[in-house]
Amino acid sequence: MNAPMQQPKRSGRSAGPAQKRYRHVRNALGYSSLFILFLSLATHSTARVTAKAEGYTQISTGKDHACAVTTSGGVRCWGNNAGFGLVAGGRLGDGTTTVRNVPTNVIGISNAVSVSAGFYHSCAALADRTVRCWGDNTLGVLGSGAPPSSTTPVAVSGIDSAVAVTSGGAHNCALTSSAQVKCWGANNFGQLGVGFDAATLTTPTDVALSNIIGVSAGALHTCAVRSNGEVWCWGRNKVAVGFSNETDGGQLGNGGFQNSNAPVQVVGISNATQVSAGVGHSCARLADGTVRCWGYNSVGQLGNGTTTVSSVPVTVSGISNAVNVTAAGNDYLSPDTHSCATLSTGRFTCWGGNVYGQLGDQTTVSRLFATLGVDVGDVVSVSAGTRSSCAQMRSGDVLCTGYNGNGELGDANFVTRSNPRYVSSKCNLDLDADGFLLSTTDALLLSRSIAGLNGTTLTANALSNNALRRSPIEIAAYIAQVCPITAAAQTASSCGFDLDGSGGSVAAASDSSLFYRAIKGFSGDAVTSGAIGGSATRNSWAAVRSYLEQVCGATGLSP
């Protein structure tokens, strides 16, 4: 149990333990409810209440859509759902071709371990080591042997040992349990790495490279990192300028600009732990926490302070503690992209093109150097899409920033943003994300939020030891965007803190009191006495409990 909230001294004396406990309770309930609370202290239940909401374990951003793996193994996607030209499409995998600005469930997947969003398609690796893909199959990218396209997942032929999958512009690669790679789809620039060019290969084919620990498919090239720290790339080594022209790219990193249909070694890297292939550039995270990038550099996507193309790796300035890196890819016609890295501090930093706010720094100014994004809390990874970026939080939340014309930010609208926003999700009353609803944490955080507290005064002594959502900034943003406490911010069919159903702002004397008492284990009149507003539509403990259980998913409440 956490220590009581620290209070300021009065009349030169420190508040004693009894005073602190009284103030803690008073802040959560209000004076009007103290009497009934103290009458009930001897009889309330001590059962632990939970209200676990499903979060995400991995995020991938494509051209103008995104997909994420849920904590239960499902996959949800959002954004554009069209195919190329007149092709029906279906890259969201929900059985339709309808654009979605909120996450939609991919049909038939319940055991995913990773997902990857490509250009007009998406793929997932499953726990049984198979791979499923969905969307536009014009170039055989679904790996099912031949068209047609599919709005729901189809099995990729010949793969039964996949541990991860990566999707590029119109090709995919799977990393197998034997540390090898199989690729399929478009191969017009040798991006499958099989030693020859071909329009397309509709079934997976082995790449002649061993001991691979990670692979990344870019727009028209692919890169892999080996267990000895080497990086190898193959495919296109130039970038498109308009529809018919091209110029030197250097994204293969071998010191030249010639395409290669077989793997070539990236110069000067022997200690890489991860690699990411973009449109016309690539980046690698090294074992010492630094980042190297190479290739096209029109808007500073190499992060070395210049716009000079480099066919060999250059060091991204100012990064010494990266835990992963991402290079924006998929759309071969949009090489003016960006890159991002997640830092060991839980912050993210980005560089390169920023026309749509995809760097997440509250500007639309492109950056030649790595620039910290807005502090959104504890970030564990970032995925850079063509014109947007999404951050995976330790709490299981996902926030996105950048272009939103197709709903690719997943925040229930189509407004482009330069400040990361939460992907639309059900409000989880577990504000510190520790798996339990506690009076000493979640109820205290709610009462302080209602009182307008912020910063460390919001979270001091109000987080459990197992809390995954710990930053005051993160908790405040989560309440504001996902569990709002302002008037008319909630609806009767959605979970929120308007427990008495009055429809107004969440109030300390009613909703906060009900929340505290309910998760403290009170029942009957001990919960509702003096805590029901005049315009309440839920005016009994049975009604409040039913709402908490059926709408908010709470378990362990007293009868």
Side-chain angles (χ1 to χ4, degrees):
M1 182 177 291
N2 293 304
M5 181 178 65
Q6 202 64 29
Q7 297 290 337
K9 296 181 180 180
R10 295 185 179 179
S11 304
R13 294 181 297 173
S14 299
Q19 291 173 303
K20 291 180 180 179
R21 285 194 295 271
Y22 172 81
R23 291 172 188 163
H24 179 142
V25 174
R26 183 199 68 202
N27 287 340
L29 302 183
Y31 289 104
S32 63
S33 304
L34 286 177
F35 181 69
I36 191 69
L37 183 155
F38 289 126
L39 286 179
S40 309
L41 283 176
T43 59
H44 75 267
S45 166
T46 57
R48 303 193 79 180
V49 181
T50 65
K52 294 182 179 180
E54 191 166 58
Y56 299 104
T57 61
Q58 185 245 328
I59 177 72
S60 176
T61 52
K63 176 182 181 290
D64 45 22
H65 77 293
C67 296
V69 179
T70 69
T71 50
S72 65
V75 174
R76 292 176 183 158
C77 298
W78 56 93
N80 203 339
N81 205 14
F84 180 76
L86 299 177
V87 176
R91 71 187 93 166
L92 302 188
D94 64 349
T96 77
T97 57
T98 303
V99 172
R100 309 285 187 183
N101 62 10
V102 296
T104 182
N105 289 322
V106 174
I107 294 174
I109 292 183
S110 60
N111 59 340
V113 295
S114 74
V115 69
S116 189
F119 199 169
Y120 291 107
H121 72 289
S122 310
C123 294
L126 308 187
D128 62 5
R129 302 296 176 87
T130 62
V131 174
R132 300 287 191 275
C133 295
W134 55 95
D136 188 331
N137 197 31
T138 303
L139 297 173
V141 73
L142 301 191
S144 55
S149 300
S150 179
T151 60
T152 59
V154 296
V156 175
S157 303
I159 292 186
D160 57 9
S161 61
V163 295
V165 66
T166 177
S167 298
H171 73 291
N172 308 294
C173 295
L175 177 64
T176 70
S177 56
S178 60
Q180 294 183 308
V181 166
K182 294 176 178 287
C183 298
W184 65 97
N187 193 39
N188 49 330
F189 292 98
Q191 57 264 51
L192 301 189
V194 295
F196 59 87
D197 296 346
T200 184
L201 296 178
T202 59
T203 56
T205 305
D206 291 327
V207 177
L209 199 64
S210 61
N211 301 317
I212 300 172
I213 61 172
V215 62
S216 177
L220 296 169
H221 76 292
T222 309
C223 292
V225 57
R226 303 181 71 190
S227 58
N228 62 2
E230 295 173 352
V231 177
W232 292 67
C233 298
W234 56 92
R236 195 180 197 186
N237 209 15
K238 296 182 181 295
V239 295
V241 180
F243 283 95
S244 57
N245 297 317
E246 64 179 16
T247 188
D248 290 341
Q251 57 265 43
L252 301 189
N254 65 336
F257 297 100
Q258 296 300 310
N259 301 337
S260 178
N261 55 30
V264 294
Q265 187 173 357
V266 174
V267 175
I269 292 182
S270 60
N271 62 337
T273 61
Q274 183 235 336
V275 69
S276 181
V279 177
H281 76 294
S282 310
C283 294
R285 186 262 183 190
L286 307 189
D288 61 3
T290 61
V291 173
R292 303 277 180 84
C293 295
W294 57 95
Y296 198 58
N297 196 26
S298 55
V299 287
Q301 53 265 56
L302 301 190
N304 66 339
T306 77
T307 54
T308 303
V309 171
S310 179
S311 61
V312 296
V314 297
T315 300
V316 177
S317 302
I319 297 181
S320 60
N321 60 336
V323 295
N324 53 58
V325 66
T326 175
N330 297 315
D331 187 353
Y332 72 95
L333 291 175
S334 302
D336 299 332
T337 56
H338 66 293
S339 312
C340 296
T342 310
L343 308 180
S344 60
T345 58
R347 297 288 298 274
F348 71 92
T349 183
C350 299
W351 56 98
N354 196 28
V355 173
Y356 301 100
Q358 56 264 49
L359 302 191
D361 64 351
Q362 292 185 304
T363 78
T364 54
V365 178
S366 297
R367 307 289 185 178
L368 302 183
F369 295 99
T371 302
L372 282 174
V374 173
D375 185 358
V376 293
D378 197 357
V379 178
V380 295
S381 67
V382 176
S383 179
T386 300
R387 297 176 292 183
S388 63
S389 304
C390 292
Q392 168 74 52
M393 309 298 291
R394 189 170 303 279
S395 62
D397 301 317
V398 170
L399 291 85
C400 298
T401 183
Y403 186 73
N404 200 26
N406 301 286
E408 49 263 72
L409 301 191
D411 64 347
N413 62 61
F414 297 96
V415 178
T416 295
R417 303 180 185 278
S418 61
N419 187 10
R421 294 274 301 181
Y422 278 84
V423 169
S424 181
S425 63
K426 176 182 177 180
C427 170
N428 183 4
L429 306 181
D430 177 16
L431 295 180
D432 67 351
D434 70 343
F436 297 96
L437 299 183
L438 300 174
S439 59
T440 52
T441 58
D442 305 298
L444 191 53
L445 289 169
L446 175 61
S447 66
R448 290 177 177 177
S449 296
I450 293 172
L453 302 185
N454 52 49
T456 56
T457 58
L458 171 64
T459 56
N461 299 319
L463 302 174
S464 79
N465 292 333
N466 297 319
L468 297 179
R469 198 180 288 123
R470 307 189 66 88
S471 161
I473 292 174
E474 185 175 353
I475 291 174
Y478 181 81
I479 292 173
Q481 296 179 35
V482 184
C483 296
I485 58 178
T486 55
Q490 303 169 86
T491 63
S493 61
S494 64
C495 179
F497 285 108
D498 180 19
L499 298 190
D500 68 356
S502 65
S505 296
V506 175
S510 55
D511 304 300
S512 184
S513 297
L514 290 169
F515 185 55
Y516 178 93
R517 297 174 189 179
I519 63 179
K520 189 71 175 175
F522 301 158
S523 63
D525 290 343
V527 179
T528 56
S529 215
I532 299 296
S535 57
T537 59
R538 288 185 284 269
N539 51 22
S540 70
W541 168 229
V544 173
R545 186 183 68 234
S546 176
Y547 173 78
L548 287 170
E549 291 176 341
Q550 297 182 27
V551 180
C552 296
T555 60
L557 296 168
S558 295

